[in-house]
Amino acid sequence: MATRGVLTGAALLLLASSNCWSSGMQTVPDGYTKVAREHGVPPEALYSVALQESSRKLSRGVRPWPWTLNVAGKGYRYKTRLEAWQALQTFMKTYSLKRIDAGLMQVNLGWNGHHFTSTWEALDPYTNLNAAAVILRECWDRKPGSWLDAAGCYHHPAGGQAAARYRSFIKAKLATLQPPPSLPTQAPAQLADNAPLPAATSNTGFVWIEPRSPRP
């Protein structure tokens, strides 16, 4: 999906939602809810895009996988952020950045690489997620009215059949989600680009599978 506005990817975050409903529905992880609300985006919309972009079948079910790359239309998933980053360096020697999507939200490095200071940062789950929220919100602002349309723009800003197909995928993902509970009335804590959220609480959240490390 190496098109303008597309978010795709490779990142080092395991997003695990521990609350799965017997009906097969899942709640939106708390991390997505906080980031989405900071950017004025519905949490369900942001999480549905993540599910479409980088899902992987895990022990707790199908969840977005942060260490994902898409190169020239082919997806790759890695065990760690470092492995994904090393593979990215190799791909960049052969492919244009406009043909490479990286991270949890599959951000296209050619069209949207300006959201990151480095390819290593592009694989930071929270930085990647914030970039996705910004792009999704920009799509809404250009044509308010439908978050499904905004998702189609996120995937393919030019619209057409590609955007229409993507809207149908997102609609199917939305149907599997339980709306997140309301947050307290006070403003949520600001989420810094490079600061992980606290460990998952009794609700759902980000679960880190390895410690953060500086760029190799």
Side-chain angles (χ1 to χ4, degrees):
M1 294 189 212
T3 60
R4 185 179 180 184
V6 177
L7 300 175
T8 53
L12 172 60
L13 171 69
L14 171 59
L15 291 170
S17 173
S18 58
N19 292 340
C20 293
W21 295 75
S22 58
S23 64
M25 298 182 73
Q26 61 173 296
T27 56
V28 178
D30 186 59
Y32 287 92
T33 298
K34 290 183 178 181
V35 171
R37 288 179 172 171
E38 286 175 1
H39 295 281
V41 173
E44 301 95 320
L46 187 63
Y47 189 52
S48 293
V49 171
L51 286 171
Q52 178 61 33
E53 292 292 344
S54 64
S55 284
R56 183 176 186 178
K57 188 174 183 180
L58 305 172
S59 60
R60 289 190 176 105
V62 176
R63 299 292 185 271
W65 184 254
W67 318 128
T68 302
L69 294 175
N70 186 293
V71 181
K74 182 177 180 180
Y76 301 86
R77 286 168 176 77
Y78 302 90
K79 292 181 179 179
T80 68
R81 180 181 181 181
L82 179 59
E83 288 183 8
W85 182 82
Q86 290 173 331
L88 176 57
Q89 305 316 298
T90 299
F91 284 130
M92 288 170 59
K93 297 176 181 178
T94 305
Y95 295 92
S96 162
L97 291 182
K98 291 182 180 180
R99 304 195 73 192
I100 301 176
D101 303 324
L104 180 71
M105 299 297 290
Q106 292 292 277
V107 179
N108 182 269
L109 296 181
W111 293 110
N112 290 299
H114 59 278
H115 289 286
F116 313 115
T117 62
S118 66
T119 53
W120 178 251
E121 186 183 66
L123 295 176
D124 177 272
Y126 292 99
T127 302
N128 198 278
L129 186 58
N130 272 278
V134 168
I135 297 169
L136 192 58
R137 180 68 205 193
E138 289 174 347
C139 281
W140 166 271
D141 289 340
R142 286 198 292 273
K143 188 180 179 181
S146 169
W147 284 102
L148 284 175
D149 287 345
C153 162
Y154 170 95
H155 172 71
H156 194 68
Q161 187 61 33
R165 288 182 66 249
Y166 196 81
R167 287 197 302 269
S168 68
F169 295 150
I170 297 303
K171 187 175 182 179
K173 294 294 187 297
L174 284 168
T176 70
L177 301 182
Q178 178 74 21
S182 298
L183 291 180
T185 55
Q186 65 268 28
Q190 189 68 24
L191 180 64
D193 283 349
N194 294 312
L197 289 172
T201 63
S202 58
N203 188 13
T204 56
F206 289 99
V207 178
W208 293 88
I209 57 175
E210 60 184 75
R212 288 184 169 223
S213 60
R215 176 177 174 175

